Amino acid sequence: MIEVKHLTKVYGEARGIEDINFTMERGEIMGFLGPNGAGKTTTMRILTCFMPATSGTAKVAGYDVFEDSLNVRRRIGYLPETVPLYTDMQVPAYLKYVAGLKDVPWKKIKSRVGRVMEQVGLSHMAHKYIGELSKGYRQRVGLGQALINDPEVLILDEPTIGLDPQQIIEIRSLIKGLSGDRTIILSSHVLPEVSMLCGRVIIIDEGKLKAIDTPENLVAKLQASDSVKARISGPADSVISALKGIEGVKKVESSGAVGSSGEYVVEFVRGFNGSHLLARVAVERKWDLYELTPIKMSLEDIFIHIVTDEDSSL
Amino acid sequence: MRNFFFIFAKETKSYFNSPVAFVVLTIFSALTGYYFYNIFASFSTLSFQAQTNPALINQYGAFNVTEFVIRPFFGIVSVVMLIIMPMLTMRSFAEEKKTGTMELLLTFPVRDSEAILGKFAGCMGIFAIMLGLSFPAMLLVEYFGDPEWAVIATGYIGLIMMGAAFISLGIFMSSITENQIIAAVLSFASLMILYMVGYTAGLAGEMVGRVLEYISFSFHYEKFARGVVDTSDVVYYLLFTIMFLFLSMRSLESKRWRG
C-alpha cells in the first residue's frame, strides 16, 4: 500500500530526512516515533504530496507521490499537526467544502458529511463556527475532513496532541475503530499510544530510520541486553562487588533496601543473560535470594535507548 | 471544474462571513457615490446657468451629460478600484499560508490552476457586486438626462477588464508572501505605478513614451470611457490578467518545491 525507497529531503543546508525505507501492507497501522525535528512530519508531508522529496521515491496505493500526485491525493486523508481550519466557516459547511474538493459524488456529499460528523462526535456542533470550537473539537473536525472521502490511507500527524485525557481516549478508540481495511500512519510523542494502536513502529531520529518493527519485537530485541532486579540479603558492599565479579555483568546498582535485604539492578552485556550465574553466586555465599526478575523495557526505554545510543542498530 | 466551483463558492461565502466584503462594498459605494453627487450636482448647476448665460456654452462646449458626468464618473471608479482591490485580494493566498490551511489545500486533489481560478472568480464576484452598486447612479442620470447607453456599456466592459487585471495582480502578490499587509502594499504600489506611468510619456522620448503609454492602465481605459472598444486595449487587459494568473501558478508551484 505504501512503499518508500531511499527517501531523502534536504532543506538548504539542513538535513530533513535521509534514506528512509519502509513498506506497509493494506490495513496496517504504523506509528512514527521520534523526538521533535526528527523528520516525522517531513516524511508525512512527502507522502501527502505537500512537498517533493530531494531524492528517492514514495508510492501510495500504487501511485508515485511525485509523478501521479493527484491520484495519491484522492486516496489519502491527512491531518496536519497544527490542524489548520477555516475558522470563519461552520462545521458542516467546511466538511461539505472538503468533500467537494475530495471528489465525493455530489449526491453523497450530504450523507457523507452527516456520517463523518457522527463518527467523530460532532453532530451537536453543527451550528457552530470552527473558530468557536475548543482544541479537542477542532481536532475532531480535522479528523473529520481527513475521513470525508473514506480514504484508503490515513496520515495523522500527532492526532492526540494537546487534548485532555478523556478526549485522548476518545480519539484513540476512534482511530482504532477506523483501522481494518484502512492503512494508517500516525506520529506521536506518546509512546503507550503507539504501542497500543500500532502494529508496527518506526523510530526516526535526526532524519534517519533507526528501527522498524512491532512494539513487542522491539522490546524483545532490546531485552537481549538483559537487566534483572535481584533482592538479596547480605552486606551491601560485598554483594555489589560479588555481583560485579560475575561474568558478563556490565553494571550493578543498588536500588534501595527492603527490610534486611537490598535491591540491586544488574545489567548484563547485550545478548547475554547471566541470571543463573547470579543465583549460583548468591547460593555459594550463603545469601538469601528473595527475588530475581527480568526488567521489562517499555517502549519509552527503547525509544530513549535508540535515540541516545550512538552504536545501537537494530 | 467541480473543484473550481467549490473553491469559488467557498471564497465568495468567506468574503461575506468576514466583514471584508461589507467593508469593501460600503467604502466603494460611499466614495463613488459622493463623487457622483458632486459631479452631477455641479453639472445641473452649470446647465441652469448656461440657460441665462450663453457665454458658458462657448466656454465648455456642448453640455453633454455623457461627457460631463458619465466619463469622469468611470474615471473615479477606476481610481477607487485602485485603492480597494488590493484589500480584496490580499487575503487570497497569504491568509491560507499564514493559518496553515494551505497545507491541507495542497494535499487535496486540487490542481493549482483550479485553486487560483476559484479564488480569482471569487474576487471577480465581489467586484461584480461592487460595480452593480454603482449602477443606480446610471439610472439616476437616465431619469434626469439623456446619457448614451453605448458609452455606459463600454465603460462597464472596460472596468470589468481592468478589474480582472487588478485582481490577478493582487492574487499574485498574495501568493508570494504570507503577510496580508505586504500583499496589499505590493499590489497597491504596482497598480499605482502602472496607472500613472502613462503620465511620464510626454516627458520621455518618442519611442519610450509610447511604450510607457502602452503599459499604463489609464491609457487603455480612456478609450473604453469614450465608447470605443479597441482590440489592442482588450488584448492588453486579457494578457495582463493571464500573465499574472500564470505567475501565481508558478509561485504556488515554487512554494511546493521550497517545502
Side-chain angles (χ1 to χ4, degrees):
Chain A
M1 203 63 189
I2 295 179
E3 205 183 319
V4 174
K5 276 185 193 159
H6 307 297
L7 208 61
T8 299
K9 173 81 187 175
V10 183
Y11 297 104
E13 294 288 297
R15 171 206 59 238
I17 53 171
E18 217 176 301
D19 198 25
I20 302 273
N21 294 286
F22 66 90
T23 54
M24 281 174 73
E25 300 301 324
R26 179 182 290 272
E28 239 190 303
I29 305 189
M30 178 82 88
F32 277 16
L33 276 180
N36 291 323
K40 294 172 300 208
T41 302
T42 304
T43 313
M44 291 184 156
R45 283 181 165 176
I46 294 171
L47 287 177
T48 54
C49 313
F50 177 63
M51 59 189 185
T54 310
S55 67
T57 57
K59 275 187 179 172
V60 176
Y63 298 98
D64 189 285
V65 292
F66 183 67
E67 304 288 339
D68 228 340
S69 117
L70 275 181
N71 272 325
V72 172
R73 286 187 269 161
R74 275 192 196 106
R75 287 167 177 79
I76 56 167
Y78 175 40
L79 174 68
E81 189 182 347
T82 52
V83 199
L85 302 165
Y86 300 104
T87 49
D88 58 357
M89 287 177 95
Q90 283 179 317
V91 180
Y94 174 67
L95 291 177
K96 272 179 203 160
Y97 167 65
V98 178
L101 294 185
K102 283 181 145 189
D103 292 342
V104 176
W106 284 101
K107 284 181 192 158
K108 286 196 184 153
I109 288 180
K110 215 174 160 205
S111 65
R112 191 73 206 139
V113 167
R115 253 203 48 211
V116 165
M117 284 186 55
E118 209 162 294
Q119 207 173 4
V120 298
L122 277 171
S123 303
H124 56 298
M125 292 288 165
H127 55 283
K128 291 255 184 160
Y129 283 94
I130 292 171
E132 299 173 320
L133 297 178
S134 67
K135 171 82 180 144
Y137 279 106
R138 285 187 199 201
Q139 200 82 18
R140 288 163 197 239
V141 178
L143 209 52
Q145 65 79 25
L147 288 171
I148 201 89
N149 56 336
D150 200 10
E152 296 171 51
V153 177
L154 260 184
I155 297 179
L156 312 171
D157 200 352
E158 314 232 352
T160 56
I161 200 167
L163 300 183
D164 69 38
Q166 180 63 33
Q167 293 169 327
I168 289 178
I169 292 169
E170 284 174 20
I171 296 279
R172 272 186 206 158
S173 64
L174 182 64
I175 294 171
K176 193 101 188 158
L178 291 173
S179 56
D181 225 15
R182 243 183 280 270
T183 312
I184 304 178
I185 295 182
L186 67 93
S187 75
S188 182
H189 287 303
V190 192
L191 305 168
E193 176 172 294
V194 171
S195 57
M196 203 160 72
L197 290 172
C198 303
R200 281 200 296 163
V201 180
I202 284 181
I203 295 179
I204 301 179
D205 185 38
E206 294 182 337
K208 291 195 188 81
L209 196 152
K210 294 276 178 168
I212 172 166
D213 214 327
T214 63
E216 297 79 33
N217 279 355
L218 280 178
V219 173
K221 274 185 192 169
L222 275 177
Q223 211 64 65
S225 70
D226 283 76
S227 292
V228 294
K229 191 170 83 177
R231 195 146 69 82
I232 300 171
S233 73
D237 291 343
S238 51
V239 170
I240 289 179
S241 62
L243 292 179
K244 276 187 175 157
I246 296 171
E247 187 198 338
V249 169
K250 213 161 112 186
K251 210 162 89 186
V252 179
E253 258 171 30
S254 165
S255 61
V258 181
S260 62
S261 58
E263 268 189 359
Y264 306 92
V265 174
V266 183
E267 194 184 330
F268 294 100
V269 292
R270 187 175 299 166
F272 177 80
N273 190 328
S275 296
H276 56 295
L277 298 175
L278 198 154
R280 197 180 294 164
V281 167
V283 172
E284 275 168 7
R285 303 284 175 101
K286 297 217 163 54
W287 294 329
D288 296 326
L289 179 60
Y290 291 95
E291 190 188 335
L292 189 59
T293 28
I295 298 173
K296 274 219 173 264
M297 286 181 99
S298 66
L299 213 47
E300 257 101 351
D301 300 322
I302 294 171
F303 179 66
I304 301 289
H305 201 101
I306 289 174
V307 301
T308 52
D309 208 4
E310 279 298 317
D311 59 14
S312 80
S313 50
L314 285 169
Chain B
M1 196 55 211
R2 213 184 108 102
N3 289 337
F4 164 79
F5 168 78
F6 275 100
I7 292 175
F8 164 66
K10 186 239 145 207
E11 284 298 307
T12 310
K13 250 185 263 164
S14 68
Y15 274 118
F16 285 102
N17 279 344
S18 68
V20 177
F22 297 104
V23 170
V24 164
L25 293 175
T26 309
I27 291 176
F28 175 83
S29 307
L31 290 177
T32 54
Y34 177 68
Y35 182 81
F36 175 75
Y37 166 76
N38 281 323
I39 191 146
F40 202 36
S42 66
F43 175 71
S44 90
T45 316
L46 268 176
S47 321
F48 278 123
Q49 286 172 354
Q51 283 175 340
T52 53
N53 182 3
L56 271 177
I57 293 179
N58 297 333
Q59 192 185 333
Y60 287 100
F63 274 90
N64 176 333
V65 76
T66 312
E67 284 286 305
F68 214 97
V69 177
I70 306 279
R71 264 182 68 184
F73 177 70
F74 280 147
I76 214 72
V77 167
S78 71
V79 172
V80 174
M81 273 162 57
L82 209 62
I83 301 161
I84 293 242
M85 288 307 210
M87 297 179 204
L88 205 58
T89 53
M90 66 180 187
R91 57 182 285 278
S92 59
F93 282 108
E95 193 182 35
E96 296 234 21
K97 280 196 253 178
K98 192 83 169 181
T99 58
T101 47
M102 194 78 165
E103 182 171 352
L104 270 181
L105 185 64
L106 290 180
T107 58
F108 293 154
V110 176
R111 290 187 179 85
D112 290 352
S113 55
E114 290 167 334
I116 288 167
L117 287 178
K119 282 177 184 290
F120 175 74
C123 284
M124 283 302 279
I126 305 289
F127 171 56
I129 298 173
M130 209 158 102
L131 283 186
L133 289 175
S134 73
F135 193 69
M138 302 297 112
L139 296 179
L140 222 58
V141 177
E142 169 69 19
Y143 183 75
F144 288 110
D146 183 22
E148 291 171 53
W149 280 94
V151 176
I152 293 178
T154 59
Y156 272 115
I157 291 171
L159 284 181
I160 288 170
M161 304 207 75
M162 184 154 65
F166 284 13
I167 288 171
S168 70
L169 184 133
I171 285 178
F172 169 70
M173 293 302 177
S174 179
S175 76
I176 60 174
T177 170
E178 58 177 44
N179 187 316
Q180 294 193 45
I181 305 290
I182 292 178
V185 169
L186 283 177
S187 339
F188 178 66
S190 355
L191 292 178
M192 200 72 190
I193 284 181
L194 282 165
Y195 199 87
M196 298 187 306
V197 76
Y199 302 159
T200 329
L203 305 173
E206 166 85 5
M207 198 56 211
V208 180
R210 280 181 56 191
V211 171
L212 289 180
E213 236 176 19
Y214 191 80
I215 60 174
S216 105
F217 278 128
S218 40
F219 172 76
H220 290 280
Y221 185 66
E222 216 165 281
K223 275 183 262 166
F224 280 110
R226 272 194 274 134
V228 179
V229 179
D230 187 332
T231 347
S232 87
D233 304 330
V234 173
V235 166
Y236 168 82
Y237 285 126
L238 281 183
L239 279 182
F240 191 96
T241 309
I242 291 168
M243 181 175 87
F244 276 101
L245 290 179
F246 174 77
L247 287 177
S248 312
M249 251 173 84
R250 287 284 115 137
S251 155
L252 279 203
E253 215 175 286
S254 78
K255 167 92 176 136
R256 247 184 232 272
W257 281 99
R258 277 180 276 136

